[in-house]
Every structure is written in C-alpha cells, then in structure tokens.
Amino acid sequence: MLGPPGVGKGTQAKMLVQALGLKHIASGELFRRNQTRGTDLGVKAQGYISLGNLVPDEITIAMVLEEVLSEPSKDGFILDGFPRNMVQVESLHQALKDIETNIDCAVLLAVPRDELLKRLTGRRLCTKCQANYHLMSSPPGRSGLCNHCDSPLYQREDDMSIAVNTRLEVYYSETRPIIDYYDSLGCLRQIDGVGAVGEVAYRVSNSC
Ligand code: AMP
C-alpha cells in the first residue's frame, strides 16, 4: 500500500485485511506500539518520528522483516508504510525471494496535497484501540472519546504542522522513486483516493 502520509493507506489496508483475511503489517503502527511499550526500539525511533523523518533503515528493515517472516499468513499480507525507499525495496525483495514469494500488487493511493494537509491535521486516534477519526469528516459521537471503547482520543505528535511538512517532503524525495520501480514490474495500480472510504475501498478491491 503506497502513497503519501494521510492518503488513507491504513484505513484501506484495514478494510482489505477484514475482507480478504490477510495479515496487516504497518510499519508506523509497529513503531507506535514499541513507543507505547517503551521498548529500546521505540526509544530509538522516537526522535526521528516526532520530527517527521524516516527511522534509519537498519532499525526499520529488521523490525518489518521479522513481522513478514514470523507466522506467515497462508493468504498473504498487506504492507502498509513499507517500503519507503529503494534500500527497503531491495531488502524486502531479497527476503521474499528467500521464502519464494513476491509482491502481487502495489496499490498507490493519490490525493492532492492540500487535501492531505487537511486529513493529517484533523486526524485523531484512540489511545486504546487505535480507531481513526477526523474532526471534520468522521468525528466521534462524543467529543474526544472513542465510539468503540470510550477511551480518550489523541493527536499524533507527527500530525502537527512542522512534522507534517517534513513527512510530505520526505515522501516526495525518498518514497516517490520506488513507484517507478513497481511500475516497471507491471504490478502498480494507481487509485484515486478522494471520496468516501467505501468508494475508495471499492476502487482498490477492483484493482488487484
Ligand atoms: P506512518 O504511520 O506510516 O505515517 O509512519 C509514522 C512514522 O514512522 C513515519 O513518519 C516515520 O518516521 C516512521 N516510519 C514508518 N514506516 C517507516 C519506514 N518504512 N521507514 C522509515 N521510517 C518509517
């Protein structure tokens, strides 16, 4: 699942995971889980994440490949937020070759930059179940509280404005080039990410 921060990769990946029974491997969520637990990995990643930079490859690749290789799902997996540069692409493909599997489909979600900024700055997450809300387009029933588990909502530190701009710049300079690579493999599907979540999900599921 490819695309800039705020485009809806996580939301769409969660819908596909439910519909198809795939394993969901989201690098950003793995980092946030480690930060919440206060692990060494979480502490090492914290400074990079809060400023909107990529966490160094040696930390990220080991963390994600461990998830890919442990308890492989027989129906496959969705990678969300990984790979984000060519070094990660190469490590991923080497690891997949070793287990005789491959990427079937690279879904690129696209929305205009001003829409991304609105989505990122209005995003709120549940502190407990990580459910996703938006202050304007999908607010919770009761202000500041999760509809599912009543826990308080929070704003990700890296969804605040300075880090948001850095994340978008990092995406266009480091991550965009991997799109050409997946295009050259013939497995890239570019999807318009503007619209209701269900409409975008319909486009995604029809593309692969
Ligand atoms: P995300 O939840 O995908 O927006 O990721 C949140 C943050 O985690 C990113 O801004 C990066 O700091 C870090 N991160 C997530 N995935 C990667 C990756 N593949 N490579 C490096 N850093 C990552």
Side-chain angles (χ1 to χ4, degrees), residues 16 72 89 99 172 195:
L16 279 177
V89 166
I99 57 166
Y172 290 110

Side-chain angles (χ1 to χ4, degrees), residues 2-5 7 9 52 54 83-84 108-110 116 165-179:
L2 301 171
V7 78
K9 299 185 294 294
L54 294 186
R84 262 171 151 106
L108 170 64
L109 292 170
L116 291 175
N165 287 323
T166 308
R167 286 162 69 203
L168 289 172
E169 275 161 31
V170 166
Y171 173 76
Y172 290 110
S173 60
E174 299 196 40
T175 308
R176 277 276 336 175
I178 75 175
I179 290 160

Side-chain angles (χ1 to χ4, degrees), residues 109-123:
L109 292 170
V111 306
R113 190 184 169 111
D114 57 343
E115 171 74 14
L116 291 175
L117 287 170
K118 277 192 232 151
R119 289 188 185 188
L120 287 165
T121 51
R123 176 159 67 182

Side-chain angles (χ1 to χ4, degrees), residues 5 9 27-29 31-32 45 48-50 52-57 60 64 80-85 88 123 156 158 167:
K9 299 185 294 294
S27 46
E29 276 190 27
F31 282 128
R32 284 187 287 282
Y48 301 97
I49 294 175
S50 61
N53 291 314
L54 294 186
V55 177
D57 287 333
T60 307
V64 173
D80 160 10
F82 183 94
R84 262 171 151 106
N85 61 28
Q88 295 181 6
R123 176 159 67 182
R156 275 171 51 175
D158 61 343
R167 286 162 69 203

Side-chain angles (χ1 to χ4, degrees), residues 126-179:
C126 174
T127 42
K128 191 168 172 201
C129 71
Q130 297 296 308
N132 220 316
Y133 298 88
H134 190 278
L135 294 182
M136 306 305 291
S137 58
S138 54
R142 282 160 307 147
S143 175
L145 292 179
C146 180
N147 293 347
H148 307 290
C149 67
D150 290 338
S151 303
L153 305 185
Y154 77 106
Q155 181 174 27
R156 275 171 51 175
E157 194 183 3
D158 61 343
D159 278 349
M160 296 181 201
S161 61
I162 300 174
V164 162
N165 287 323
T166 308
R167 286 162 69 203
L168 289 172
E169 275 161 31
V170 166
Y171 173 76
Y172 290 110
S173 60
E174 299 196 40
T175 308
R176 277 276 336 175
I178 75 175
I179 290 160

